[in-house]
Amino acid sequence: MPVLRITEASPGTLVKLRGRLRLILAGGLCLLALAAGPETLAAKSRTFFRPDLSRDSSRETREIKVQLLADSYLFGLPGATGQIESALREVSAEFKRLFALTFVPDGWAIWESDQGGRNVQELAEEFRTATKGRGADLVLAVTARSDLQTDYSGLALFKASMIIIVYTPDQASLKKLIKHELGHVFGAVHVPDQGSIMSCSGEGHNFDAANENIIRLGHERSFEPVAFPFSPEIQARIEGSYLKIRENIIQLKEIKLLFSASGPGQPGQETKCLSDVFLMLAQLELEKNNYGQASDFCGEALLLNPGDLEAMNLQAISFRQAGRTQEAVNLYRIILEIKPDFSEALYNLGVALSELNRLAEAEKAYRQVIKLNPRLAQAYHNLGDVYFRQGRLAEAEQQFLKAIELWPSYASAYSNLGEIYWRRKDRTKAREYAEKALSLQPESTQARNLLGNLLRDSGKPAEALNEYQKILAKEPESARAYYNLGVSLTDLGQWSEARQAFEQAIKIEAKMAEAYGGLGLCCLQQGDLEQAIKFLLIARQLGFKDPALSLNLSYAYLNINDWPKAEEEARRAIAEQPDLAPGYNNLGLALAQQNKLEEARMRLEEALKLDPQEVGTVLNLAMVELSLKNEERALDLFLKALVLNPGDSQNGLIYNNIAVIYFHQEKYELSWGFAQKALQAGFKVDNNLLEALVKKLK
């Protein structure tokens, strides 16, 4: 009897960061970069930013905890930290009055910036390290250095909830700087209104009404690093404000053309503001998975400013997430020709190349990123992913450990370490890492999938099933979860339900090879042999490599009496796994059916050496020995089968064959006894044998 096997549940695909590393660099304030425009025009422009808004005085004030960071340069300036705290308190009082937001300093921490040439990404990683475990909502980092790689006096990392400012001893300028960047943190964008604090030049003192509205809407923003700051409802309302600002800026540009003869104007200011708005709109569309619309907004930004690397990077992200991965790669290459040390573009290039399975190129990109930014945990993580996919587990482990060293709460890195230990059959360590990942990120489908696989490996398919169902409750489009659900259902013998699970996995991911393999097995068990063969062959065509595939194909061909193909598939299974006992069993059967009895016996003997307790192989070998007239050897094997499985439904056939052998040996009483056992087991014993035994026993 052929023995079936199903492939084990595969480990979940390694989590790569989706989207951008830096997420949004929501504008910066360059205090001296732009000259003030004509006063008459500035006054006129302000009228375009006065929608009818009412301040919600009844809203409960929200307290925002701010972790303050300073480098040694700033700590060396007498009174500087106190001056910054004073400026923050003044700004906080304004935000409380306007937006029911108040900012509470949570002490100072040192941030070492002794190396020259820091870029924004490096700074953000340093801040993450400096503030880990402190529990602040927002980071305000201040440096007294002047040699940073930025043209801005202040920068806001919108999604990361971090502000970076260059210290100025002028209290008014310091206050404006903090106020401007806090506006960006809550979604405000640049406007060409010289009376607004959000103007590109930063000449204004107060917020324009449109940005007031945006900040008010952003009152409830999240400060969790893994979540987009705004709820979908608020996103939609903020997007409406951005679109209104865009409309107003376009109108302003048209008015400026009419008044161009009255003064020098400010060429490019509206262009800069429009570009900022388009990028914010693009980011919102990305969050809604509207990749085409996001790309269009990036395109509009690039028409205004063709050399805007931020817009080009965001458009490349739009391309990749829309499945236009090669186009994304091409655009990243262009960005890097312009700025070879643009580490964000290099990082995203690595992600795109990895998705295209161009692993050697992805490895090179990530190594370049690490060279530029040795504190970037995500780069080590994704380099580890590349090594994992190449089977370089020891190197992958080193990279994941490095990522955790830099970012101790990096849930995905723990999950991936768990995957490595699962591959190594170290279930204890694998479970330890899976549970650690879930403690850090309870919604991690990768970690929960790994936990399900570990439960299944431990002979607990029902518990594994529960874990996969938890994944599907949160991610109903997870093909991997459906696949592993199907595998657990096969363990439970629920073939119809398993078949449905595999079919659902294929609906979601049409080229999921292993799901076709599982579907083929279900059809095999249900006796749908033609469909079984069809699905198993599709699995092979899609690249599924597992001896079980060839083994199950051999079984299917045996059952439709296609002996040559059964032989071919059994030989393939053995070549793929030389110690595969069922493969030798099925090969022996196929050979026996083609009357190649000597080789059949040899292959069945090999199967029995590998698995001496397999009753099906014992019986198959016994039948071959009978065909070769080796009745003593056949008798020994039949008796062994009875010992191995005394209650089997096939024992009637065994009793009958033993009766025949004893009759040939003239042991008539023994023959009669086994013939009676065969009859009791429901086997139809040949009447000629019974009649002959009656005569011999008289």
Side-chain angles (χ1 to χ4, degrees), residues 59 214 216-221 229-240 284:
R59 175 177 281 182
I214 291 168
R216 194 169 292 110
L217 287 168
H219 182 277
E220 303 303 324
R221 70 152 288 172
F230 307 124
S231 67
E233 179 188 0
I234 296 300
Q235 283 184 49
R237 294 172 67 184
I238 289 177
E239 185 174 12
L284 284 170

Side-chain angles (χ1 to χ4, degrees), residues 464-531:
L465 195 74
N466 184 51
E467 295 300 326
Y468 302 138
Q469 287 170 333
K470 286 179 183 177
I471 296 173
L472 289 169
K474 293 182 177 180
E475 292 187 20
E477 295 300 306
S478 173
R480 175 61 55 188
Y482 272 113
Y483 171 74
N484 284 337
L485 183 72
V487 173
S488 291
L489 288 166
T490 64
D491 290 342
L492 295 167
Q494 300 178 27
W495 299 104
S496 296
E497 294 85 350
R499 183 169 180 172
Q500 290 173 9
F502 292 132
E503 287 172 344
Q504 191 62 38
I506 291 166
K507 276 185 185 178
I508 298 168
E509 192 175 322
K511 294 185 177 182
M512 192 177 192
E514 57 266 52
Y516 281 101
L519 188 54
L521 176 62
C522 290
C523 292
L524 204 58
Q525 287 286 351
Q526 294 176 317
D528 193 349
L529 298 175
E530 288 187 6
Q531 285 293 94

Side-chain angles (χ1 to χ4, degrees), residues 21-84:
L21 164 68
R22 183 156 50 100
L23 302 167
I24 281 185
L25 182 60
L29 177 59
C30 183
L31 291 176
L32 303 175
L34 298 169
E39 194 61 35
T40 55
L41 189 58
K44 192 168 186 67
S45 72
R46 284 195 291 273
T47 64
F48 289 100
F49 296 92
R50 292 290 181 259
D52 182 19
L53 295 171
S54 60
R55 298 173 184 177
D56 186 5
S57 60
S58 65
R59 175 177 281 182
E60 183 177 350
T61 298
R62 183 184 184 188
E63 187 174 284
I64 310 296
K65 191 184 317 182
V66 181
Q67 175 64 58
L68 297 168
L69 291 180
D71 58 15
S72 56
Y73 295 86
L74 185 75
F75 279 128
L77 297 175
T81 56
Q83 185 186 10
I84 293 164

Side-chain angles (χ1 to χ4, degrees), residues 281-326:
L281 286 166
Q283 181 67 22
L284 284 170
E285 295 300 331
L286 277 176
E287 293 296 326
K288 296 186 291 184
N289 300 326
N290 294 337
Y291 308 125
Q293 185 62 65
S295 180
D296 289 346
F297 281 133
C298 291
E300 290 196 57
L302 287 167
L303 284 173
L304 294 167
N305 187 4
D308 188 341
L309 296 181
E310 182 74 14
M312 293 170 71
N313 185 55
L314 192 55
Q315 187 168 54
I317 292 167
S318 303
F319 286 161
R320 182 178 65 79
Q321 293 187 339
R324 300 161 61 183
T325 312
Q326 185 56 55

Side-chain angles (χ1 to χ4, degrees), residues 389-522:
R389 292 166 64 185
Q390 294 174 323
R392 299 157 64 180
L393 299 186
E395 293 169 275
E397 182 181 10
Q398 290 176 2
Q399 300 305 317
F400 294 138
L401 288 171
K402 181 64 177 180
I404 289 170
E405 179 188 332
L406 292 166
W407 187 358
S409 59
Y410 204 161
S412 183
Y414 287 105
S415 291
N416 291 336
L417 282 169
E419 299 282 5
I420 289 174
Y421 280 101
W422 188 59
R423 291 278 184 96
R424 293 172 176 168
K425 310 297 183 185
D426 189 340
R427 294 174 185 168
T428 302
K429 289 283 279 186
R431 181 155 190 157
E432 177 186 332
Y433 281 118
E435 290 176 346
K436 176 65 174 179
L438 285 170
S439 71
L440 294 167
Q441 190 178 342
E443 68 276 14
S444 171
T445 57
Q446 182 193 6
R448 194 160 300 283
N449 180 73
L450 176 57
L451 184 58
N453 292 346
L454 289 165
L455 288 166
R456 181 175 176 264
D457 287 349
S458 303
K460 301 175 180 177
E463 293 180 43
L465 195 74
N466 184 51
E467 295 300 326
Y468 302 138
Q469 287 170 333
K470 286 179 183 177
I471 296 173
L472 289 169
K474 293 182 177 180
E475 292 187 20
E477 295 300 306
S478 173
R480 175 61 55 188
Y482 272 113
Y483 171 74
N484 284 337
L485 183 72
V487 173
S488 291
L489 288 166
T490 64
D491 290 342
L492 295 167
Q494 300 178 27
W495 299 104
S496 296
E497 294 85 350
R499 183 169 180 172
Q500 290 173 9
F502 292 132
E503 287 172 344
Q504 191 62 38
I506 291 166
K507 276 185 185 178
I508 298 168
E509 192 175 322
K511 294 185 177 182
M512 192 177 192
E514 57 266 52
Y516 281 101
L519 188 54
L521 176 62
C522 290

Side-chain angles (χ1 to χ4, degrees), residues 251-262:
Q251 290 179 25
L252 180 60
K253 286 186 71 176
E254 294 172 350
I255 290 173
K256 283 193 75 171
L257 289 174
L258 294 175
F259 287 85
S260 59
S262 64

